[in-house]
Amino acid sequence: MPSVIFCDFDGTITKSDNIISIMRHFDPPGWEPIKNHILSREISIREGVGKMFATLPSSLKDEIIQYVVETAEIRDGFEDFVSYTRKENVPLNIVSGGIDFFVKPMLKPYDLENQLYCNGSDFSGNTIQITWPHTCDDHCSNDCGCCKPSIIRELADDHVQKIVIGDSVTDLEAAKLADLVFVCGDYLEEKCRELNLPYKRFTHFDEVVTYLEQSKEVVHR
């Protein structure tokens, strides 16, 4: 069965969550209670992310981009992982709850823009406004922002193995639709275990490549 991959960005392709890193560094008033409300699921991801960025002035755009590009670390093995998916014709979709203005510069070296699904941004007002080009379909009522389950339903059917790679709360609903989840964060691992979802822990992308290669060999035996 062919595979289709849906890979998170913040905390997965990068070693840390860039939204939280941005908020901690620029420290706008009131962002931390909003973050806590997202994690406790008192408010939706879309509402919370929108509120957090609205605490930042639009004039900080270039400074935020520079901060992320200079400080965010790409997880080991990612470049080889991208090359492997291309060599083997495995569709790789980057599904991110992050924001285009800092995600795209980080992914530019890998030529993944046409495979990227993330939130948008508007700097025309006094504060940063987030736009939502990938909202929930009729099957999702979680107000996700960038709705990963909706993207999975759009791009993959029951005739493919759906592989989700992620770390945190924004990946949970996608993980519920996956045939296999690669986990690099404690939150998602705990939820996969709790819900009995099939998962494998990984720390670098070479481990994902090794699994895909081994799975291919099993199929061809």
Side-chain angles (χ1 to χ4, degrees), residues 1-2 27 38 60 79 91 96 104 144 172 184-185 217:
M1 181 182 288
D27 198 25
I38 297 171
L60 285 177
E79 185 173 4
S96 172
K104 287 182 178 180
C144 300
L172 177 57
C184 58
E217 290 171 4

Side-chain angles (χ1 to χ4, degrees), residues 84 209-219 221:
Y84 178 84
V209 170
T210 297
Y211 172 82
L212 293 173
E213 189 64 19
Q214 290 173 345
S215 298
K216 185 182 72 172
E217 290 171 4
V218 168
V219 170
R221 280 177 190 167

Side-chain angles (χ1 to χ4, degrees), residues 47-209:
E47 180 183 355
V49 169
K51 283 183 173 180
M52 282 200 295
F53 275 94
T55 64
L56 292 166
S58 294
S59 59
L60 285 177
K61 176 184 178 180
D62 291 340
E63 197 173 336
I64 293 171
I65 294 171
Q66 182 179 0
Y67 170 74
V68 173
V69 169
E70 290 179 353
T71 62
E73 290 184 72
I74 299 292
R75 189 174 296 276
D76 295 344
F78 180 68
E79 185 173 4
D80 290 340
F81 167 67
V82 173
S83 297
Y84 178 84
T85 61
R86 287 181 175 145
K87 178 171 70 77
E88 298 296 329
N89 293 313
V90 178
L92 169 61
N93 304 285
I94 310 303
V95 287
S96 172
I99 319 301
D100 59 354
F101 77 99
F102 65 80
V103 175
K104 287 182 178 180
M106 290 296 297
L107 290 178
K108 188 175 181 180
Y110 310 99
D111 192 24
L112 288 166
E113 186 162 342
N114 291 334
Q115 297 155 255
L116 171 64
Y117 300 81
C118 69
N119 298 312
S121 51
D122 179 356
F123 295 89
S124 61
N126 291 330
T127 61
I128 300 173
Q129 300 300 305
I130 306 304
T131 61
W132 316 100
H134 306 292
T135 53
C136 300
D137 63 15
D138 292 340
H139 301 284
C140 183
S141 57
N142 290 307
D143 200 23
C144 300
C146 180
C147 185
K148 298 180 183 184
S150 298
I151 293 167
I152 291 174
R153 282 188 285 269
E154 179 185 346
L155 299 179
D157 57 27
D158 293 336
H159 302 295
V160 297
Q161 180 188 38
K162 295 178 280 293
I163 297 175
V164 167
I165 307 176
D167 74 307
S168 192
V169 62
T170 62
D171 304 302
L172 177 57
E173 297 306 316
K176 293 176 182 178
L177 298 182
D179 298 295
L180 177 64
V181 186
F182 282 97
V183 173
C184 58
D186 293 340
Y187 176 91
L188 190 59
E189 181 175 24
E190 179 184 324
K191 290 298 181 182
C192 284
R193 193 184 301 120
E194 180 183 307
L195 298 170
N196 200 29
L197 303 177
Y199 80 92
K200 292 182 180 293
R201 182 88 188 197
F202 80 103
T203 55
H204 53 78
F205 278 96
D206 293 344
E207 295 166 86
V208 181
V209 170

